[in-house]
Amino acid sequence: MGVKDSLLTEEMMDTIIANAFEWIVVVNHEGNIIYMNDSYCEFIGVDNKEVIGKHVTEVIENTRMHEVVKAGKEELADLQYIKGNYMIANRVPIFNKNGEVIGAYGTVIFRDTSEWDKMNSHVKSMLGRIRNYLQEYEQQTGVKYTLEDIIGNSKLIKLLKDKVKQIAASDVSILIRGESGTGKELFAHSIHQLSNRSQMPFIKLNCAAIPEHLLESELFGYEEGAFTGAKKGGKKGKFMLADGGTLFLDEIGDMSLPMQIKLLRALQEGEVEPVGAIKPIQVNVRVIAATNRPLEKMMEEKRFRDDLYYRIHVIPFQIPSLRERTEDISLLVEHFIQKICKRTGRRITSVTEDALDVLSRYRWPGNIRELENVIQAAVHLSTGEKLTVEVLPDYMRDSYSIPIGSKSLKETLEDAEKQAIIQTLEKYQNDKLVTAKQLGISKSSLYEKLKKHKIQ
């Protein structure tokens, strides 16, 4: 056999593609079919010569080939319902040398439904095992989130993720600062999950959610008969439950001074004394604290102890607000759309540019928590495949619209000035000296403007 005889000929290629295990379809830039292999035609029950030139939606049920051509974005391993069965479809856009979409090709696998059922059962079995393992890990340790759950590619988020990796293995105390809704708890979980204590408990306590008279017993536990209504056998506190692992104290800035003293002693001595106990109990706990309060100002006002502050503030973490990392909004929106659609069964593929522009310019006082709630409502209100401006809250759409003709230029400028002052004050936790510096004005000028705009 010569070299020429061993080359792959055009006829051979045609035969291979026509009879390939995968079903193959190719469409042009208008979504019209220009090729469909014999296997696909045979399954659907059409003549491959008759389908040429027809729009793909007329031939293949539940197809999205025309959408891939429009968006220029590939869709891999997507489930497609064809003739009573779910198949696995891959759709890939075809570009010319100038980067323009000139068509798309798609493949569908598992034409043998019995084979698909077998694979489906295997996948479900494996997913079940993985889910059980994750649930068991969560039950044993209390960890729900990892570093992968923190969505964002902004410089600030990348730096924080790197910082988590650097210090997770150490046992030093960490104070996580940030506004409400920025994801402080996600970072706490991630630090524990990457630490040497990852197989030990992760216990959390919201200091603001527990009444003052119950906080001591929640933290340190109590002995049987310590007070009226005490459980038989007593109760372990959060410190003892976290022994060997990590204790996450959220909203630590809301803790009273008497409790701060008891917490400091536990951290310094490495021991706790349950209510009603005769002697203290040794514990080995790493503490991660979090707050959105201005602790430095509270220290000046004698509302937060200096010694406790320096004990928990060994490594500070400042989580940026959403308005400080607006470049992450598009990623977060996409993440929440997928998450909510998976849970609800809705099919929303993306967000329009106008809607994303409104979302990117909004101030987000509630940060990521508020964004998720907005996207959840928008998904339920949507009727198409994209989130549009119309399904966003009215206050969000109106917050950046300029009422042309209803206000003078002077009034519009004053409104803008007021918003700039409010946003800067929020960003720097009402620190007026820093706010004035950031705005490029004197402190006396800032106070005049606060009075003029009636800003408290």
Side-chain angles (χ1 to χ4, degrees), residues 188-203:
H189 281 259
S190 301
I191 292 167
H192 174 81
Q193 193 266 335
L194 290 174
S195 73
N196 296 329
R197 298 171 177 260
S198 60
Q199 299 302 314
M200 300 304 287
F202 176 87
I203 304 296

Side-chain angles (χ1 to χ4, degrees), residues 216 220-223 235 237 240 272-281:
E216 181 177 3
F220 308 125
Y222 57 79
E223 295 289 313
K235 177 186 174 182
M240 293 174 67
V272 295
E273 192 169 319
V275 178
I278 300 174
K279 60 181 181 178
I281 300 171

Side-chain angles (χ1 to χ4, degrees), residues 307-327:
D307 42 10
L308 177 58
Y309 174 82
Y310 293 117
R311 170 66 63 173
I312 64 175
H313 195 258
V314 178
I315 296 182
F317 262 75
Q318 183 67 45
I319 312 300
S321 63
L322 189 52
R323 59 184 170 275
E324 293 177 273
R325 56 181 187 110
T326 53
E327 61 266 47

Side-chain angles (χ1 to χ4, degrees), residues 60-343:
I60 305 172
E61 63 178 312
N62 298 313
T63 184
R64 289 184 47 77
M65 292 292 292
H66 58 301
E67 296 292 344
V68 170
V69 171
K70 287 180 186 177
K73 186 178 179 181
E74 67 181 16
E75 296 180 356
L76 303 179
D78 188 33
L79 286 181
Q80 183 173 339
Y81 194 72
I82 306 175
K83 297 192 71 173
N85 288 283
Y86 281 102
M87 307 296 170
I88 299 178
N90 294 315
R91 311 177 191 100
V92 181
I94 303 171
F95 299 90
N96 63 15
K97 291 181 180 180
N98 297 323
E100 299 168 329
V101 180
I102 58 173
Y105 75 89
T107 62
V108 178
I109 59 175
F110 292 113
R111 64 181 180 183
D112 184 339
T113 55
S114 64
E115 186 174 349
W116 160 247
D117 289 338
K118 182 179 178 182
M119 179 61 75
N120 190 31
S121 299
H122 177 67
V123 170
K124 284 182 178 177
S125 174
M126 291 303 296
L127 286 175
R129 292 181 188 179
I130 293 170
R131 192 179 295 113
N132 290 337
Y133 172 77
L134 291 174
Q135 287 176 348
E136 185 179 342
Y137 177 71
E138 182 182 331
Q139 289 171 359
Q140 288 180 351
T141 66
V143 174
K144 292 182 180 179
Y145 310 106
T146 69
L147 214 55
E148 299 303 314
D149 293 304
I150 300 170
I151 309 300
N153 284 326
S154 62
K155 184 178 179 181
L156 289 171
I157 290 299
K158 285 181 177 178
L159 288 172
L160 281 177
K161 285 185 175 182
D162 289 341
K163 193 172 184 180
V164 167
K165 294 173 185 176
Q166 289 174 351
I167 57 86
S170 68
D171 263 352
V172 295
S173 300
I174 294 170
L175 177 62
I176 302 175
R177 313 287 291 269
E179 296 177 11
S180 179
T182 50
K184 297 188 290 294
E185 186 174 338
L186 267 68
F187 278 94
H189 281 259
S190 301
I191 292 167
H192 174 81
Q193 193 266 335
L194 290 174
S195 73
N196 296 329
R197 298 171 177 260
S198 60
Q199 299 302 314
M200 300 304 287
F202 176 87
I203 304 296
K204 62 179 181 178
L205 176 69
N206 188 319
C207 301
I210 307 296
E212 173 63 25
H213 66 284
L214 296 178
L215 188 55
E216 181 177 3
S217 61
E218 279 294 318
L219 270 176
F220 308 125
Y222 57 79
E223 295 289 313
E224 182 177 344
F227 50 83
T228 305
K231 279 185 181 180
K232 186 178 181 181
K235 177 186 174 182
K236 287 185 177 181
K238 300 297 185 184
F239 262 97
M240 293 174 67
L241 292 173
D243 191 22
T246 303
L247 177 61
F248 175 48
L249 298 175
D250 199 6
E251 307 295 352
I252 196 171
D254 291 64
M255 187 178 285
S256 68
L257 283 171
M259 278 306 304
Q260 290 177 32
I261 296 171
K262 293 178 180 179
L263 173 62
L264 179 63
R265 180 176 178 275
L267 296 178
Q268 286 177 333
E269 305 298 331
E271 60 184 29
V272 295
E273 192 169 319
V275 178
I278 300 174
K279 60 181 181 178
I281 300 171
Q282 291 290 320
V283 289
N284 175 17
V285 173
R286 180 190 195 174
V287 170
I288 299 176
T291 186
N292 59 3
R293 295 295 191 98
L295 295 186
E296 292 79 7
K297 185 178 180 181
M298 292 174 66
M299 286 159 58
E300 292 177 7
E301 297 170 352
K302 305 300 180 184
R303 292 189 293 127
F304 199 86
R305 292 183 62 91
D306 298 30
D307 42 10
L308 177 58
Y309 174 82
Y310 293 117
R311 170 66 63 173
I312 64 175
H313 195 258
V314 178
I315 296 182
F317 262 75
Q318 183 67 45
I319 312 300
S321 63
L322 189 52
R323 59 184 170 275
E324 293 177 273
R325 56 181 187 110
T326 53
E327 61 266 47
D328 286 334
I329 288 179
S330 59
L331 274 177
L332 288 163
V333 169
E334 184 179 346
H335 169 73
F336 289 136
I337 287 175
Q338 292 176 358
K339 175 183 174 182
I340 295 162
C341 285
K342 184 178 179 181
R343 187 174 67 236

